[in-house]
Amino acid sequence: MSSSFVQGFNSLRLLNLDDNCIAEWDEVMKLSQLRCLEQLYLNKNCLNSILYPDNGQQNELEATSYWPFQNLRCLLLGDNNIGDLVSVDSLNLFPNLVETRLSENPIADTTSGGVPRFVLIARLAKIKVFNGSEVTPRERKDSEIRYVRLVISRLHANAEEIKQHPRFSELKSLYGIEDERPSTGASGPQTIGSGFLSITLKCVGASMGEKQPLTKKLPATTTVGKLKFLCESFFKLKSLKLKLFLQEEGSPLPVLLDSDTSSLMDLGIGNESIILVDEEN
């Protein structure tokens, strides 16, 4: 075959290649000139990365002026081996992609070094359906604000990290977020490891009784598990098993903080945030 691209199939709109042991993205690129292709299912394969070709790689495409996967709107990649954020960021280069799935990939597994949903949504500028659920305007806004706070906190420890966050400057400007550098009073700005955040804790559990909200300065490295332990002490809740929620301004529902090992910094929780203290059912 003279071309490295699949020929024909000019009316094909949906192609399901789930569970086909595809391991190389170059094999997927052979489908990139199917001009009517709108949905491509690649769940349960062996892909390690995603790469949208830059101009230097488009040899055959230069003569056609047709961008790879130009009309692709849905790309499902669940249950592969994708573990890097460069692959996630490359999805922004697909001209019309609005739906994707990355569940059951290492990059989405927060228990083994992956990143949470809000980070993936913030990095994926155009995605409207992610892992099978709609990304509402409210969720996008909240995710992007949390992401900016998260990156700011990490930049305090390592300024070079900004190179790993291509949307950071754009989002920081969009929301007008200032550098919420934690400090320890008169000593001035500190690294995030020694910085403190002002957090307001509110009891909302049915059996907790009337308790006044407390505002505490906590290290940004405080984990959710440690914060639960502190809340037991602050509010004298020794007999209750606690769960914590982040209440974000304008958000209709608070966000469950479900990983005891994640820190306030990891979760992108900013200064003057409100955390609700509830009890397990």
Side-chain angles (χ1 to χ4, degrees):
M1 188 168 68
S2 61
S3 172
S4 57
F5 300 110
V6 170
Q7 304 293 301
F9 302 100
N10 294 331
S11 299
L12 184 66
R13 295 181 182 277
L14 188 156
L15 179 58
N16 188 331
L17 293 174
D18 287 353
D19 206 2
N20 266 282
C21 299
I22 300 170
E24 299 296 330
W25 185 254
D26 285 347
E27 295 301 308
V28 180
M29 283 303 301
K30 293 177 181 179
L31 307 170
S32 66
Q33 293 294 292
L34 297 177
R35 300 201 174 197
C36 288
L37 187 63
E38 295 180 357
Q39 299 180 67
L40 178 58
Y41 300 170
L42 294 167
N43 301 301
K44 298 182 180 179
N45 280 288
C46 306
L47 293 165
N48 294 302
S49 62
I50 309 161
L51 177 65
Y52 192 87
D54 61 29
N55 290 334
Q57 296 174 298
Q58 290 186 27
N59 303 317
E60 290 186 54
L61 307 181
E62 291 176 1
T64 68
S65 72
Y66 181 82
W67 289 96
F69 296 112
Q70 185 161 313
N71 288 309
L72 192 69
R73 296 178 56 81
C74 174
L75 176 60
L76 303 186
L77 295 154
D79 201 358
N80 277 275
N81 300 319
I82 298 162
D84 64 297
L85 286 168
V86 173
S87 290
V88 174
D89 295 336
S90 73
L91 294 173
N92 287 315
L93 300 175
F94 287 71
N96 288 293
L97 192 68
V98 293
E99 178 176 356
T100 193
R101 179 181 290 278
L102 291 170
S103 53
E104 297 182 80
N105 279 276
I107 194 60
D109 183 0
T110 57
T111 64
S112 60
V115 298
R117 176 181 170 94
F118 81 88
V119 170
L120 296 171
I121 288 174
R123 295 184 82 114
L124 294 169
K126 298 178 291 186
I127 295 301
K128 297 179 179 178
V129 180
F130 184 64
N131 288 348
S133 63
E134 179 189 3
V135 179
T136 64
R138 169 55 59 186
E139 183 183 17
R140 174 157 295 285
K141 179 179 179 181
D142 288 346
S143 295
E144 290 175 346
I145 289 173
R146 286 182 70 189
Y147 173 68
V148 171
R149 288 173 177 163
L150 172 64
V151 177
I152 286 174
S153 70
R154 291 183 174 176
L155 290 180
H156 298 156
N158 178 15
E160 288 295 303
E161 179 153 335
I162 195 170
K163 297 175 182 176
Q164 301 173 29
H165 302 277
R167 295 199 71 212
F168 171 68
S169 296
E170 166 201 347
L171 293 175
K172 185 171 182 287
S173 175
L174 174 64
Y175 295 111
I177 298 174
E178 297 301 319
D179 188 337
E180 297 174 341
R181 184 186 295 269
S183 65
T184 54
S187 62
Q190 302 291 318
T191 65
I192 191 63
S194 61
F196 284 74
L197 300 171
S198 178
I199 302 295
T200 297
L201 304 165
K202 293 184 177 180
C203 286
V204 296
S207 65
M208 293 178 179
E210 295 281 341
K211 296 186 183 295
Q212 291 297 313
L214 292 177
T215 299
K216 296 288 185 179
K217 284 194 175 291
L218 301 170
T221 52
T222 303
T223 64
V224 171
K226 174 67 172 178
L227 185 52
K228 288 178 181 177
F229 176 78
L230 291 172
C231 287
E232 289 179 1
S233 175
F234 293 155
F235 295 110
K236 298 181 172 55
L237 301 171
K238 296 291 185 184
S239 61
L240 297 177
K241 184 169 180 162
L242 303 181
K243 56 183 178 180
L244 305 179
F245 295 84
L246 175 64
Q247 184 177 60
E248 297 190 280
E249 184 178 354
S251 182
L253 292 173
V255 178
L256 176 64
L257 306 180
D258 57 357
S259 172
D260 280 359
T261 58
S262 295
S263 69
L264 300 178
M265 175 182 69
D266 294 334
L267 296 167
I269 295 175
N271 204 32
E272 300 184 356
S273 291
I274 297 173
I275 291 179
L276 306 180
V277 183
D278 203 352
E279 57 194 297
E280 295 278 5
N281 294 328

